[in-house]
Amino acid sequence: MKAGIVGLPNVGKSTLFNCLSNAKAQSANFPFCTIEPNIGVVNVPDSRLEKLEELVNPERVVPATVEIVDIAGLVKGASKGEGLGNQFLGNIRETDAILHVLRCFDNDNIVHVDGSVNPIRDKETIDMELQLKDLESVEKKLDKVKRAAKTGNKEAQKEEAVLNALKEGLEAGTSVRAIPFSDDDRAEYVKPMQLITDKPVMYVCNVDEEAAASGNAYVEKVKEAVANENAEVIFLAVGTEADITELETYEERQLFLEDLGLSEPGSAKLIRGAYKLLDLETYFTAGVKEVRAWTIPVGATAPQAAGVIHTDFEKGFIRAEVIAYDDYIKYGSEAKVKEAGRMRVEGKEYIVKDGDVMHFRFNV
């Protein structure tokens, strides 16, 4: 599962990507410096992992990860191939969620591609390019479905109605995620098309250092503009985050954050947000060799969760021994949890809960 960072050129995408992945994507003050999408595998900050480490004292700790893709800056006309349009749109299509970076700071030394700072205009520029690309896909599909609908095919007629609603919404400048459909229609006709503006989105407002702790007027405008999209809005000072990652020690980084009035880097908040945006959650395994966070889609069953460790675990699944995270912390060890009668044995139908500490029994 991948989240793609998108935005206009020079809004701070590559600098943000560097902060998240510590991979040094080329970051410069001119458009199109990121041509190939950079991919970073980023650790998901999780305080529960630290608490389990304190109790178990394992040989190693392995956090959950999420894949972040830095996609080159999109420009007006991208849907018609302007800039590196087709390539960018293809790269976005391959991601599962969008982190849309908006410039929400003034700085005369950093050129804005449109000459002035206006995050709402910037958002609309990107939205329009993505909507135009989706419209192209919908119109192609509609041409095929119309022919089948004319023959009296009831299924095709139903699909035609959904495609017409998509077309009208996109022509009116509404992203697919904000066009109302029944759950059934969305699952059957909309989701399989994998339209770009149907992907879940988080708006990342890049502010200056003064606004790092409480945001600014630009951020408030963005929140108002996206109120109908059911999208999260976060703000962070990307340039400052970059400075923090350059500091040598954890203590130095914490002091810097305290000076800014922050309890943790904004990038940590963003990574957790991306994880949630991708509809992912975590379960843990805890033993002296290793304490590890495993990533599963929300709603995964116990055998599916076992399969993340190894496909044989899923094939030969017998049962799962499950401890709720809070119980593990309360009693302090697996043995004490068992003594208190708080370990559960679950079968194939069990839906794993975020934070479960699990041990699988299997036979292959």
Side-chain angles (χ1 to χ4, degrees):
M1 299 287 275
K2 292 188 287 206
I5 301 177
V6 305
L8 290 176
N10 283 4
V11 295
K13 296 183 313 306
S14 293
T15 309
L16 174 62
F17 177 80
N18 292 343
C19 296
L20 296 177
S21 65
N22 290 331
K24 298 297 175 190
Q26 187 187 358
S27 176
N29 183 17
F30 57 89
F32 304 131
C33 73
T34 314
I35 309 287
E36 288 302 317
N38 289 276
I39 297 178
V41 177
V42 182
N43 291 342
V44 179
D46 193 329
S47 59
R48 297 174 299 182
L49 204 55
E50 290 153 32
K51 288 189 177 142
L52 287 170
E53 181 185 8
E54 282 167 26
L55 294 174
V56 179
N57 196 19
E59 288 173 22
R60 65 176 191 154
V61 177
V62 184
T65 59
V66 64
E67 218 168 272
I68 305 284
V69 186
D70 177 25
I71 295 166
L74 211 67
V75 293
K76 209 174 279 183
S79 58
K80 299 279 180 280
E82 290 294 323
L84 299 168
N86 295 330
Q87 191 182 332
F88 299 169
L89 291 160
N91 293 336
I92 295 168
R93 206 181 283 288
E94 285 165 24
T95 64
D96 303 285
I98 292 173
L99 306 174
H100 187 157
V101 182
L102 295 166
R103 177 171 167 176
C104 293
F105 66 89
D106 295 305
N107 182 338
D108 294 340
N109 296 321
I110 298 176
V111 184
H112 189 290
V113 75
D114 285 330
S116 63
V117 177
N118 182 339
I120 308 307
R121 178 201 58 212
D122 295 354
K123 173 196 171 315
E124 285 167 358
T125 298
I126 296 267
D127 282 353
M128 189 171 76
E129 296 306 325
L130 302 183
Q131 286 159 6
L132 286 168
K133 203 67 190 165
D134 280 349
L135 186 58
E136 206 178 282
S137 304
V138 169
E139 285 173 337
K140 271 187 198 159
K141 186 86 187 273
L142 193 54
D143 283 345
K144 286 181 190 166
V145 171
K146 268 182 176 166
R147 288 196 287 276
K150 275 180 186 158
T151 67
N153 181 318
K154 290 273 185 285
E155 192 56 35
Q157 286 170 351
K158 217 171 155 191
E159 188 170 6
E160 184 185 15
V162 171
L163 289 166
N164 277 323
L166 279 170
K167 185 172 183 279
E168 282 166 28
L170 287 163
E171 283 173 343
T174 305
S175 290
V176 173
R177 73 183 78 83
I179 301 173
F181 289 105
S182 70
D183 290 348
D184 288 350
D185 283 351
R186 191 169 277 282
E188 195 167 342
Y189 303 114
V190 182
K191 286 285 172 206
M193 290 189 73
Q194 293 182 305
L195 297 166
I196 299 170
T197 65
D198 195 29
K199 295 180 192 293
V201 64
M202 181 199 293
Y203 292 99
V204 182
C205 297
N206 182 10
V207 298
D208 53 23
E209 193 170 304
E210 288 70 41
S214 52
N216 59 23
Y218 288 134
V219 175
E220 293 312 309
K221 282 181 183 165
V222 172
K223 285 180 178 172
E224 279 169 39
V226 306
N228 71 328
E229 284 191 46
N230 190 25
E232 194 178 346
V233 178
I234 69 164
F235 55 86
L236 67 163
V238 174
T240 308
E241 297 273 333
D243 293 341
I244 293 170
T245 60
E246 295 297 322
L247 296 172
E248 293 296 317
T249 67
Y250 175 78
E251 287 71 23
E252 283 178 306
R253 291 195 286 273
Q254 288 306 109
L255 280 171
F256 197 142
L257 287 167
E258 278 166 30
D259 286 346
L260 294 172
L262 298 170
S263 57
E264 64 173 356
S267 54
K269 191 167 57 174
L270 186 143
I271 295 163
R272 283 198 300 273
Y275 196 70
K276 197 171 144 199
L277 200 63
L278 290 164
D279 219 17
L280 300 174
E281 61 186 11
T282 302
Y283 76 87
F284 302 103
T285 50
V288 288
K289 285 269 181 219
E290 171 181 278
V291 164
R292 184 170 187 146
W294 299 90
T295 300
I296 49 170
V298 171
T301 61
Q304 287 167 337
V308 173
I309 299 175
H310 197 288
T311 50
D312 285 352
F313 283 29
E314 184 170 0
K315 280 182 204 153
F317 179 89
I318 300 169
R319 65 180 184 273
E321 292 164 1
V322 184
I323 302 170
Y325 169 79
D326 289 343
D327 283 341
Y328 205 109
I329 300 307
K330 180 179 172 184
Y331 295 101
S333 73
E334 189 176 309
K336 286 180 180 163
V337 170
K338 278 181 182 170
E339 271 172 40
R342 298 294 294 171
M343 179 186 273
R344 306 189 314 276
V345 175
E346 301 286 1
K348 290 183 176 181
E349 305 302 312
Y350 178 66
I351 304 293
V352 178
K353 293 180 181 62
D354 187 55
D356 278 349
V357 181
M358 304 185 78
H359 184 69
F360 298 104
R361 300 287 177 193
F362 68 101
N363 180 25
V364 176

